[in-house]
């Protein structure tokens, strides 16, 4: 059975000040004006009085029976016990109701957050489409300007050719009829060299260190740039493109031009060309951070799937090599 110490939350080592403090704390919770009941306050007052008297280890039921025998109020005691039982049941029901309300509120908040996330993703996709459309228009405008310049070159070449033919015909006519212009020196036709200018679209390689080709796909591996001892780690996609990480922690995307289009996401910044690759830095966005590669099974960059298989061990090995502690 419950003792008065247990009911009040005290023990024999508690001082009078601590007992009064416990009583005040429980009174603020169980007072009828605070949502409690009269029966609970009576029980709390009895426990406080008994603990102050030194009867804290006495059982509550024994004290109630003794008081009932003294006052000859056995029936009232039973009624009070019944009231306490009802109060306990009410409190239990209120507790369950509050728990359900909290669970519903949490579920509603989670659904609201999920809807907000979907809206943000839709807005982001719409912006990406607009950026792709604008870049395509820009590329088409540049192509038109290039075609216009080529047309101007062809027009100039045709005019020079016509001038050459007319001049040559004129001097041929003068030689045949021997009618030089009076008081004019002999004019000798100057041959005009006409060579079609060719445009060289060779790759603009900026003396960057070349990566080593890999046959294994979907696995991060440790490598050194060709002809150097500069380390890096890389993973190869099925289409022959690469993601490369160097000692500076920079991620780069090597796009295989034979399989990928020229249109890339806006977070890929062009750096240079390396053989069949167009090299892009990834300063932000998808694939730019350590945590993205650690927390994802794979990342999709420019329609290429790059696995994170072996990334953690390779990244640790790269950090060790970059700090000059051990080679690969």
């Amino acid at each position: 059975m419950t003792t008065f110490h247990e009911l009040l939350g005290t023990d024999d080592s508690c001082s009078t000040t601590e007992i009064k403090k416990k009583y005040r704390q429980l009174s603020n919770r169980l007072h009828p004006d605070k949502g409690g009941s009269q029966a609970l306050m009576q029980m709390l007052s009895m426990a406080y009085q008994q603990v102050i008297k030194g009867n804290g280890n006495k059982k509550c039921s024994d004290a109630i029976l003794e008081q009932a025998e003294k006052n000859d109020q056995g029936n009232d005691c039973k009624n009070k016990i019944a009231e306490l039982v009802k109060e306990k049941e009410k409190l239990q029901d209120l507790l369950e109701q509050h728990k359900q309300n909290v669970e519903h509120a949490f579920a509603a908040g989670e659904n609201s957050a999920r809807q907000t996330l979907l809206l943000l993703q839709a807005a982001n996709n719409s912006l990406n489409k607009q950026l792709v459309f604008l870049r395509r228009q820009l590329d088409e405008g540049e192509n038109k300007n290039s075609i216009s310049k080529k047309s101007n070159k062809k027009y100039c070449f045709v005019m020079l050719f016509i001038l050459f033919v007319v001049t040559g015909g004129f001097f041929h006519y003068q030689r045949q009829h021997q009618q030089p212009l009076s008081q004019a020196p002999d004019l000798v036709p100057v041959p005009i060299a006409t060579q079609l200018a060719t445009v060289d679209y060779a790759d603009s390689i900026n003396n960057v260190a070349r990566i080593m080709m890999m046959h294994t796909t979907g696995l991060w591996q440790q490598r050194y740039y060709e002809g150097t001892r500069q380390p890096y780690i890389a993973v190869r996609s099925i289409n022959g493109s690469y993601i490369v990480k160097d000692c500076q922690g920079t991620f780069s995307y090597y796009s295989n031009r034979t399989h990928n289009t020229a249109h890339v996401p806006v977070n890929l910044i062009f750096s240079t060309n390396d053989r069949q690759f167009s090299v892009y830095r990834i300063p932000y966005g998808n694939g730019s951070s350590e945590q993205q590669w650690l927390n994802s099974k794979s990342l999709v960059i420019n329609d290429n799937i790059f696995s994170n298989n072996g990334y953690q061990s390779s990244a640790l090995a790269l950090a060790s090599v970059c700090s000059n502690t051990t080679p690969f």
Side-chain angles (χ1 to χ4, degrees):
M1 298 295 292
T2 305
T3 64
F4 289 109
H5 271 317
E6 293 174 347
L7 187 62
L8 197 61
T10 58
D11 54 32
D12 291 334
S13 63
C14 292
S15 63
T16 303
T17 303
E18 293 175 338
I19 295 172
K20 289 181 180 180
K21 184 178 179 181
K22 289 284 186 181
Y23 174 73
R24 284 196 298 269
Q25 290 176 348
L26 292 174
S27 296
N28 291 332
R29 297 180 183 177
L30 302 178
H31 196 276
D33 295 338
K34 302 292 185 178
S37 66
Q38 188 66 31
L40 289 174
M41 280 301 302
Q42 291 177 357
M43 178 63 71
L44 180 62
S45 298
M46 181 185 295
Y48 173 73
Q49 293 172 4
Q50 292 294 329
V51 172
I52 289 294
K53 292 178 182 179
N55 299 328
N57 293 321
K58 194 172 183 179
K59 295 180 180 179
C60 299
S61 58
D62 294 340
I64 293 174
L65 291 174
E66 286 177 5
Q67 185 176 0
E69 290 175 359
K70 289 179 182 180
N71 299 326
D72 194 14
Q73 295 178 348
N75 293 330
D76 292 339
C77 180
K78 292 181 180 178
N79 293 334
K80 289 181 179 180
I81 293 175
E83 290 178 1
L84 288 175
V85 172
K86 291 181 180 179
E87 292 292 339
K88 179 182 177 182
E89 291 176 353
K90 289 181 180 179
L91 289 174
Q92 189 68 30
D93 292 338
L94 286 173
L95 179 61
E96 291 296 329
Q97 184 177 357
H98 283 302
K99 288 174 64 177
Q100 292 178 1
N101 291 338
V102 170
E103 292 175 355
H104 291 324
F106 179 80
E110 188 178 16
N111 291 334
S112 177
R114 185 180 295 109
Q115 291 177 354
T116 303
L117 178 61
L118 292 176
L119 289 174
L120 290 174
Q121 290 177 344
N124 183 58
N125 292 335
S126 177
L127 289 174
N128 285 335
K129 290 181 180 178
Q130 293 179 14
L131 287 172
V132 170
F133 176 75
L134 291 174
R135 292 188 64 179
R136 189 172 298 167
Q137 285 188 329
L138 181 61
D139 291 341
E140 290 176 356
E142 292 177 351
N143 290 335
K144 289 181 179 179
N145 291 335
S146 177
I147 292 173
S148 177
K149 291 179 181 179
K150 290 181 179 179
S151 299
N152 291 336
K153 289 182 178 179
K154 290 182 178 179
Y155 174 77
C156 293
F157 169 73
V158 171
M159 294 301 295
L160 289 173
F161 179 77
I162 293 174
L163 180 61
F164 171 74
V165 172
V166 172
T167 304
F170 173 75
F171 284 105
H172 177 72
Y173 175 82
Q174 278 197 335
R175 289 195 189 95
Q176 293 293 328
H177 295 82
Q178 296 180 353
Q179 295 179 353
L181 294 176
S182 61
Q183 298 179 355
D186 292 338
L187 296 179
V188 180
V190 179
I192 301 175
T194 58
Q195 295 181 356
L196 291 176
T198 60
V199 181
D200 187 7
Y201 292 101
D203 293 342
S204 58
I205 300 177
N206 299 328
N207 297 323
V208 296
R210 291 186 170 187
I211 62 173
M212 298 176 62
M213 298 294 101
M214 296 162 49
H215 299 290
T216 304
T217 61
L219 178 64
W220 283 85
Q221 299 181 29
Q222 303 89 34
R223 291 289 188 272
Y224 290 98
Y225 289 106
E226 287 187 1
T228 71
R229 296 299 293 173
Q230 298 179 11
Y232 70 90
I233 59 174
V235 62
R236 182 180 185 270
S237 70
I238 297 177
N239 291 336
S241 296
Y242 292 81
I243 295 294
V244 175
K245 180 185 179 184
D246 56 21
C247 282
Q248 284 71 37
T250 303
F251 289 92
S252 299
Y253 167 56
Y254 281 66
S255 174
N256 189 348
R257 293 193 298 271
T258 60
H259 291 87
N260 298 322
T261 62
H263 299 290
V264 297
V266 294
N267 68 316
L268 300 180
I269 308 302
F270 178 77
S271 175
T272 184
N273 288 320
D274 176 9
R275 291 161 294 187
Q276 74 270 28
F277 301 109
S278 294
V279 185
Y280 299 86
R281 291 182 295 104
I282 314 178
Y284 66 93
N286 191 31
S288 63
S289 69
E290 181 92 5
Q291 292 301 321
Q292 290 178 349
W293 289 104
L294 289 174
N295 298 333
S296 304
K297 292 184 178 180
S298 61
L299 294 178
V300 179
I301 300 176
N302 196 30
D303 297 331
N304 286 269
I305 300 176
F306 295 98
S307 171
N308 78 333
N309 185 21
Y311 174 78
Q312 186 172 10
S313 59
S314 296
L316 291 174
L318 177 64
S320 178
V321 174
C322 293
S323 59
N324 296 323
T325 58
T326 181
F328 280 143

